[in-house]
């Protein structure tokens, strides 16, 4: 996980509609950047729907929410449509941002060790600096937790 106070790594990734996004385009806004393992799984759905429900409050506080996983653009589109998600989902199948943000790590599941995305959320300020970093977040609690972190 990256340290607070460091410059957030730049990225260029396609969203659920295939349009490219960069971190630079969000300069001047607070960014809730959350990394999650997989579309349409129980925890990831709870987390995404939580961010969706609170999205108007994030916008009131001048923040945008961006979710990133290694799923494809098509998978993200289905996920967005199924749950009416109002925010950007970025596809990172080549693990560019996932590795740059140090969330591709060894995980243990029922004694089996594998590499995967560790659920992590970063709060990035208007200047592109990481001001808060939360690793191994609880999916259902993370959206409300992040809302409280905003002034």
């Amino acid at each position: 996980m990256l340290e607070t106070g460091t410059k957030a790594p730049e990225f260029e990734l396609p969203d659920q509609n295939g349009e490219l996004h960069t971190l630079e385009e969000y300069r001047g806004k607070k960014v809730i950047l959350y990394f999650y393992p997989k579309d349409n799984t129980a925890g990831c759905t709870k987390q995404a729907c939580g961010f969706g429900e609170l999205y108007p409050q994030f916008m009131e506080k001048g923040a945008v929410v961006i979710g990133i996983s290694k799923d494809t653009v098509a998978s993200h589109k289905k996920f967005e449509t199924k749950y009416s998600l109002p925010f950007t989902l970025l596809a990172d199948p080549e693990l560019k941002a996932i590795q740059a943000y140090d969330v591709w790590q060894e995980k243990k599941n029922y004694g089996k060790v594998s590499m995967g995305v560790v659920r992590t959320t970063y709060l990035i300020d208007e200047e592109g600096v990481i001001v808060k970093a939360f690793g191994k977040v609880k999916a259902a609690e993370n959206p409300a937790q992040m809302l409280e972190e905003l002034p």
Side-chain angles (χ1 to χ4, degrees):
M1 188 166 68
L2 300 179
E3 297 293 315
T4 57
T6 58
K7 187 143 180 42
E10 190 50 63
F11 56 75
E12 183 178 51
L13 296 170
D15 68 9
Q16 64 268 39
N17 300 309
E19 295 171 26
L20 288 176
H21 290 267
T22 63
L23 183 61
E24 180 66 32
E25 76 187 61
Y26 297 101
R27 198 58 45 93
K29 292 184 175 187
K30 293 177 194 76
V31 177
I32 308 286
L33 187 66
Y34 83 97
F35 292 87
Y36 65 100
K38 191 158 179 47
D39 290 342
N40 287 302
T41 55
C44 297
T45 299
K46 275 186 192 130
Q47 188 177 23
C49 289
F51 277 120
E53 286 166 25
L54 297 175
Y55 195 67
Q57 290 156 274
F58 283 110
M59 288 179 62
E60 281 172 24
K61 292 187 173 199
V64 295
V65 175
I66 302 170
I68 298 182
S69 79
K70 64 184 185 71
D71 293 301
T72 62
V73 168
S75 174
H76 279 349
K77 188 64 187 171
K78 286 180 194 156
F79 191 44
E80 174 210 33
T81 303
K82 185 174 181 179
Y83 296 103
S84 302
L85 301 175
F87 55 87
T88 302
L89 296 173
L90 298 179
D92 190 12
E94 291 159 19
L95 310 178
K96 290 179 193 161
I98 288 169
Q99 289 179 334
Y101 281 84
D102 196 27
V103 297
W104 185 253
Q105 298 173 10
E106 197 174 86
K107 296 166 71 169
K108 286 187 180 135
N109 195 9
Y110 302 110
K112 184 176 162 244
V113 177
S114 62
M115 293 300 287
V117 174
V118 175
R119 193 181 307 278
T120 306
T121 305
Y122 292 101
L123 174 56
I124 301 168
D125 73 8
E126 295 86 345
E127 307 300 313
V129 174
I130 296 169
V131 290
K132 300 272 180 167
F134 301 93
K136 297 183 180 170
V137 297
K138 291 186 174 25
E141 297 166 15
N142 187 232
Q145 171 194 20
M146 294 312 295
L147 191 60
E148 284 176 27
E149 292 295 332
L150 294 170

